[in-house]
Amino acid sequence: QVHVVESGGGSVQAGGSLRLSCEVSGYTSSILHMAWFRQAPGKEREGVAVIVSDGTPIYADSVEGRFTISRDGSKNVLRMDSLQPKDTAVYYCAAGWRVTSEYMWDVQEAWPFWGEGTQVTVSS
């Protein structure tokens, strides 16, 4: 079974930075694609960033230019800069075998493995 564990959540003031880490372990973990999603209270889970198995990063429009994702094998780091209160959410790391331009932001279609989430709070 594939296991996903996130770490690095916390509180920061607007304009600040935070780093989130994710480690994927288990069967074929080193070749899995990885992603970050986030969910704010009362809202649907939304995509943040994807990093393909070869290291290619893809970002949601909402974080383009502010967040950076990188990976080393089955581990990845999401660097979040210029954080705003709207970024406050529980952040989840996900892993999967397939990624396409049409479904990479679809929670159920593309990402079968999930961590339990880490809270990020950005204050004004």
Side-chain angles (χ1 to χ4, degrees):
Q1 182 64 49
V2 175
H3 298 277
V4 182
V5 180
E6 311 102 328
S7 63
S11 298
V12 65
Q13 293 185 333
S17 300
L18 203 61
R19 293 175 72 255
L20 303 182
S21 298
C22 175
E23 182 170 358
V24 179
S25 61
Y27 180 73
T28 197
S29 60
S30 64
I31 64 171
L32 291 174
H33 311 300
M34 295 184 285
W36 285 92
F37 286 73
R38 66 187 182 186
Q39 188 166 20
K43 297 184 178 180
E44 295 290 326
R45 193 168 298 187
E46 65 173 353
V48 175
V50 171
I51 187 156
V52 181
S53 60
D54 68 359
T56 302
I58 305 166
Y59 302 98
D61 291 342
S62 60
V63 305
E64 181 74 52
R66 298 189 298 122
F67 292 11
T68 302
I69 188 169
S70 60
R71 72 182 291 163
D72 180 10
S74 60
K75 301 178 181 179
N76 81 75
V77 173
L78 180 69
R79 170 77 179 191
M80 304 184 294
D81 296 315
S82 301
L83 285 164
Q84 302 296 316
K86 65 182 179 181
D87 296 314
T88 295
V90 176
Y91 282 69
Y92 298 89
C93 184
W97 291 292
R98 302 178 186 275
V99 59
T100 69
S101 60
E102 289 186 297
Y103 298 113
M104 63 181 176
W105 302 123
D106 192 301
V107 172
Q108 295 189 349
E109 288 290 332
W111 307 103
F113 308 111
W114 293 85
E116 294 187 351
T118 185
Q119 177 71 47
V120 171
T121 301
V122 184
S123 60
S124 301

